Each structure stands twice: as structure tokens, then as C-alpha cells.
């Protein structure tokens, strides 16, 4: 849609720029660990894990700012459709709002396991750099190899996400008559 291409993030969120901007001075949440961005980028460049760690940080807006340096949240804008006047969570008393923004980044083969949004939220996503593949299925129709719990709140899969794509994805794509949903920057 081109949404992210007009943000400062489109130019400022390169690996080199982020290394220079933050160095070792702040930590981000990566697979249950705290890592600096240079350590995370080095991990992404050198790992051969079947299930690589990825950065999934709900406090990035607070931890990435400091002193006169604005945080990463200053580098993007919430789309008008999700503006503050339409955000009912913003009307909650202080401290009651659920987590509502995350910075997510990963290297090759990284990604989320099959899941159902635990908070049943309405969310928006933007891919600033690289590509992200989304696989969405209609309610009540889990993909091959994925089993929902009795209440439908959680999903289990006997294989890694990488293996699921190798083994099951082609049958899902064929059944739908296409190559699936990929997302590029913007």
C-alpha cells in the first residue's frame, strides 16, 4: 500500500543506521533474552537455527529513547484509520491499557509459531524492510499439521514453522489457487 514508504523509518531503519544510532546502549527483548541491536544483527547474520530467535519487544518505544534521542516510535505514524480518536483503549484509565505496540524483527527463517491472537485484538502491521509471509485461514479451518484446542484459543503444531512451510505450505497454496500472502516493505 506504500504506507511505510513515507515514514522516517523507511530511511532510518537500516541495519547500519540502527547499529550507529543505538550501539550497545539499550536492550531489546529477543526470545526471552535482552540483546543490544548489534548483538541481535550479528546473531541473525550467523545463525543456522531451525527456529531462529526474533526480536519481539513491547517496550521498544520506551527503551529506544533516551536523552535528546527520540525513540523508534517517532519514526512511524499510526494510520489514520487507527487514529487516537478511534482508539477505545486510549480511553482507559492510566495503567489499564493492554500492551498495544511491538517492534518485531527477524532474520531468515524467523517468525511466530501458529497462533490465535491471545487478546482478540484488531491490529495493524507494517513491513518496513524485507519481507514477511502471512498465512491466514478461515475460522474453523486450521491448516494441515495444525490442531486447535477444544475452545479454539490456542493451536499446536508438531513441527517447527520452517518445517511446516517445507512440508505443508504447498498443499495449502495449491488448494487456494495461489502462492499465499507475502508482504513487502510499505
Amino acid at each position: 500500500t506504500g504506507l511505510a514508504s513515507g515514514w522516517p523509518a523507511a530511511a532510518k531503519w537500516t541495519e547500519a543506521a540502527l547499529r550507529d544510532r543505538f550501539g550497545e546502549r539499550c536492550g531489546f527483548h529477543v526470545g526471552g533474552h535482552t540483546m543490544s541491536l548489534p548483538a541481535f544483527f550479528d546473531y541473525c547474520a550467523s545463525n543456522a537455527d531451525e527456529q531462529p530467535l526474533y526480536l519481539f519487544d513491547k517496550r521498544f518505544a520506551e527503551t529506544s529513547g533516551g536523552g535528546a534521542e527520540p525513540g523508534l516510535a517517532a519514526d512511524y505514524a499510526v494510520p489514520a484509520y487507527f487514529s487516537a480518536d478511534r482508539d477505545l483503549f486510549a480511553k482507559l484509565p492510566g495503567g489499564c491499557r493492554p500492551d498495544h505496540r511491538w517492534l518485531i524483527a527477524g532474520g531468515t527463517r524467523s517468525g511466530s509459531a501458529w497462533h490465535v491472537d491471545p487478546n482478540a485484538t484488531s491490529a495493524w502491521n507494517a513491513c518496513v524492510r524485507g519481507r514477511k509471509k502471512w498465512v491466514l485461514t478461515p475460522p474453523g479451518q486450521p491448516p494441515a499439521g495444525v490442531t486447535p484446542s477444544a475452545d479454539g484459543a490456542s493451536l499446536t503444531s508438531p513441527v517447527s514453522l520452517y518445517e511446516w512451510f517445507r512440508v505443508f505450505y504447498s498443499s495449502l497454496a495449491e488448494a487456494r489457487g495461489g502462492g499465499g500472502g507475502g508482504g513487502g516493505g510499505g
Side-chain angles (χ1 to χ4, degrees):
T1 65
L3 173 73
S5 62
W7 294 342
K12 295 167 74 173
W13 289 10
T14 66
E15 180 178 337
L18 291 170
R19 281 179 182 270
D20 289 344
R21 184 173 174 182
F22 296 107
E24 299 290 336
R25 76 171 174 82
C26 61
F28 291 85
H29 184 80
V30 178
H33 307 280
T34 300
M35 288 182 143
S36 68
L37 286 178
F40 174 68
F41 289 135
D42 291 345
Y43 164 78
C44 289
S46 65
N47 93 77
D49 301 344
E50 187 171 314
Q51 294 180 307
L53 300 175
Y54 62 102
L55 189 153
F56 195 100
D57 194 310
K58 64 184 177 184
R59 301 280 178 241
F60 77 95
E62 296 86 18
T63 59
S64 66
E69 173 67 42
L72 292 171
D75 295 342
Y76 69 90
V78 174
Y81 185 81
F82 298 101
S83 64
D85 62 319
R86 299 183 73 155
D87 182 359
L88 296 179
F89 285 124
K91 314 284 187 229
L92 293 172
C96 294
R97 182 187 185 118
D99 296 325
H100 66 287
R101 59 183 172 191
W102 291 264
L103 176 65
I104 303 170
T108 303
R109 296 178 317 285
S110 66
S112 173
W114 283 102
H115 65 278
V116 174
D117 184 338
N119 297 323
T121 58
S122 297
W124 62 274
N125 291 262
C127 187
V128 177
R129 293 228 170 269
R131 297 181 311 171
K132 177 174 179 62
K133 182 173 281 288
W134 288 87
V135 179
L136 306 172
T137 61
Q141 296 179 24
V146 177
T147 306
S149 62
D151 64 2
S154 63
L155 302 171
T156 57
S157 177
V159 296
S160 71
L161 195 58
Y162 173 71
E163 188 176 358
W164 184 89
F165 271 100
R166 277 190 319 116
V167 174
F168 295 107
Y169 180 69
S170 61
S171 63
L172 179 69
E174 287 174 21
R176 293 182 174 180

